[in-house]
Amino acid sequence: MNEITVLDREFSVYITEDEIQSRITALAEKINEDMNGKDVLFFGVLNGVFLFAADIFRQINFECQVSFIKLASYDGSSSTGKIKELIGWNEDITDKTVVVLEDIVDTGTTLERVIAELKLRKAADIKICTLLFKPEAYTKDIPIDYIGFEIPNNFVVGYGLDYYGYGRNLRAIYKLTK
Ligand code: 5GP
């Protein structure tokens, strides 16, 4: 399935399922190495991260916690820059090492908002892990610790990422062709 249609748009395969899974294994190995012995809470930023979070978390081999928060800055296929409300902050993260899991970092607005909140809540150390990163679109100075793939400034769907809510169940990542 190299070419697909989601709603009214055509997409072609960009990162295959195998490529995604082997990169996740490498990221998990690095996190296992770096974080072992620390009191770590993984924080997934919903919705797009649900598959990535599930796949990477299963490969984490030390005692740790996972939780999810939700917010959105994206409307369809172009960034609106608007940040919606943050929901799901239940944990006490004081003095914990937090690893933020993101499906994609685009402008970095979402990430900046999450990091501000984590600092306010006195996390001891904050690391960021994203499956996809668009360096050309990134406007922030926050360093990203773990990156799955750097991609150009194209709109992508699949493996959790949506186009107007559709396409999240695709096993590979596809980019917009037209
Ligand atoms: P940022 O706040 O970094 O600009 O945007 C982050 C959010 O925008 C992501 O969590 C994701 O929901 C959405 N986003 C950014 N780029 C893409 C893309 O290429 N495809 C999809 N489906 N969502 C994207």
Side-chain angles (χ1 to χ4, degrees):
M1 229 180 27
N2 283 337
E3 311 290 325
I4 55 152
T5 303
V6 180
L7 297 176
D8 57 343
R9 296 294 169 104
E10 286 165 34
F11 294 84
S12 60
V13 75
Y14 184 53
I15 307 173
T16 64
E17 184 181 2
D18 283 354
E19 286 167 339
I20 295 169
Q21 294 304 329
S22 53
R23 191 70 193 114
I24 289 175
T25 300
L27 287 175
E29 277 170 8
K30 187 81 179 78
I31 292 173
N32 285 333
E33 223 175 271
D34 294 352
M35 300 288 151
N36 207 346
K38 296 185 181 164
D39 188 8
V40 179
L41 171 64
F42 288 86
F43 242 124
V45 184
L46 290 171
N47 288 333
V49 82
F50 72 105
L51 291 179
F52 176 49
D55 283 347
I56 198 163
F57 193 62
R58 272 181 293 196
Q59 298 194 52
I60 298 301
N61 61 15
F62 54 90
E63 205 168 75
C64 59
Q65 296 174 295
V66 66
S67 186
F68 292 91
I69 49 165
K70 186 168 174 170
L71 77 176
S73 71
Y74 228 70
D75 180 16
S77 66
S78 69
S79 184
T80 60
K82 281 184 212 145
I83 292 282
K84 295 180 191 161
E85 200 193 343
L86 285 164
I87 40 177
W89 293 96
N90 303 318
E91 280 74 17
D92 179 9
I93 59 165
T94 313
D95 298 332
K96 285 202 167 172
T97 298
V98 174
V99 178
V100 178
L101 296 174
E102 281 248 45
D103 49 342
I104 186 164
V105 175
D106 184 35
T107 61
T109 308
T110 308
L111 186 63
E112 189 179 56
R113 176 78 191 272
V114 172
I115 300 297
E117 192 79 29
L118 291 172
K119 285 189 174 156
L120 211 69
R121 289 163 190 258
K122 301 193 168 36
D125 194 12
I126 302 166
K127 301 283 181 205
I128 297 146
C129 174
T130 185
L131 179 65
L132 303 174
F133 177 54
K134 291 181 177 173
E136 291 158 24
Y138 196 54
T139 59
K140 312 295 175 194
D141 298 324
I142 306 161
I144 302 181
D145 305 276
Y146 306 98
I147 296 173
F149 301 91
E150 287 197 1
I151 65 167
N153 213 354
N154 291 328
F155 185 75
V156 291
V157 292
Y159 193 68
L161 290 139
D162 74 309
Y163 173 59
Y164 286 105
Y166 291 88
R168 294 194 196 275
N169 54 324
L170 297 162
R171 301 173 78 105
I173 291 169
Y174 296 78
K175 72 173 179 199
L176 189 63
T177 47
K178 288 182 201 153

